[in-house]
Amino acid sequence: MARKADPARRREVLDAVIEQLAHTGISGFTLRGLAQGLGQSTRVLTHHFADREDLLSAVLARLDELQHRSLLATRGWEDPAVPVSDIVREAWRRNLGDEELPMTRLIREIEGLAAAGRLPATGAGFVRGRAEFVASCLTLRGVPADRALTLATLLNSAFSGLETDYLVTGDRGRGETGLDLLCAWIDSMAPAH
């Protein structure tokens, strides 16, 4: 009889997989190559994940969870007196800092693969869930729910685009000038109170 997978161990393996993918990329990964990078056998992965698609779906769900947790921990997320721009600027600093930069690159890669139709259907949920999550921050500031989702979509898209531009060009000044405009815009749409 097969041993039942321990949920805590599964999460531990999943976090190690995400860390590995943040350094190697997600495009074209194999279970064998990933296991080698982790110094494990493929059996460790197949014990916790049925196949490559199951692992990829779990990676996307865990990344979504980690991003939400990080945003929730940002000062002011649930305080309508704090401008949304403060949260946006903190996310920019965190995402492009040395510690988070590999993860930011992984997320940008995932978005590109999802846009190219090279991820399972869960890839679209990864991006849509982020818009719904950010919209919840805007509704706390009095933005009606349907409008908040539209504004969150624009905010996320512009933010991702600015990060991508910086990662591709290395022009931090131009990216941060764009970020200043984005912050002014979102504060005008969802003012703190």
Side-chain angles (χ1 to χ4, degrees):
M1 177 189 229
R3 209 176 49 175
K4 188 163 174 87
D6 173 22
R9 176 68 179 135
R10 182 180 196 270
R11 189 172 41 257
E12 187 179 291
V13 169
L14 184 57
D15 287 345
V17 164
I18 290 170
E19 186 68 28
Q20 178 71 14
L21 291 174
H23 294 286
T24 63
I26 200 165
S27 181
F29 81 89
T30 64
L31 291 180
R32 177 172 292 171
L34 192 55
Q36 286 175 342
L38 295 171
Q40 302 285 331
S41 74
T42 54
R43 276 183 276 157
V44 170
L45 296 176
T46 57
H47 177 69
H48 296 284
F49 308 98
D51 54 25
R52 183 181 187 276
E53 296 302 312
D54 184 39
L55 175 59
L56 185 55
S57 293
V59 163
L60 295 176
R62 180 71 172 149
L63 281 171
D64 201 37
E65 176 189 337
L66 292 171
Q67 282 188 306
H68 291 185
R69 186 181 304 157
S70 181
L71 283 171
L72 278 171
T74 304
R75 187 191 75 72
W77 179 266
E78 294 182 330
D79 182 356
V82 174
V84 176
S85 61
D86 286 5
I87 298 163
V88 170
R89 288 179 198 287
E90 178 56 31
W92 177 269
R93 280 189 292 277
R94 184 177 53 245
N95 290 358
L96 297 178
D98 291 340
E99 188 176 319
E100 289 293 321
L101 189 57
M103 196 66 64
T104 298
R105 288 189 169 151
L106 175 62
I107 290 166
R108 297 287 87 79
E109 181 186 3
I110 289 168
E111 291 170 348
L113 291 170
R118 293 210 244 126
L119 286 181
T122 56
F126 175 74
V127 175
R128 179 162 177 83
R130 190 175 341 138
E132 292 166 347
F133 185 73
V134 170
S136 71
C137 178
L138 302 178
T139 58
L140 283 173
R141 284 149 180 87
V143 178
D146 58 336
R147 182 162 171 78
L149 186 58
T150 301
L151 294 177
T153 300
L154 287 168
L155 176 60
N156 287 343
S157 296
F159 185 85
S160 293
L162 289 168
E163 279 188 348
T164 299
D165 184 84
Y166 166 68
L167 293 172
V168 171
T169 68
D171 191 339
R172 190 174 203 109
R174 188 178 69 206
E176 290 182 352
T177 298
L179 186 72
D180 290 341
L181 292 171
L182 179 61
C183 286
W185 169 78
I186 195 59
D187 283 347
S188 74
M189 297 288 112
H193 49 296

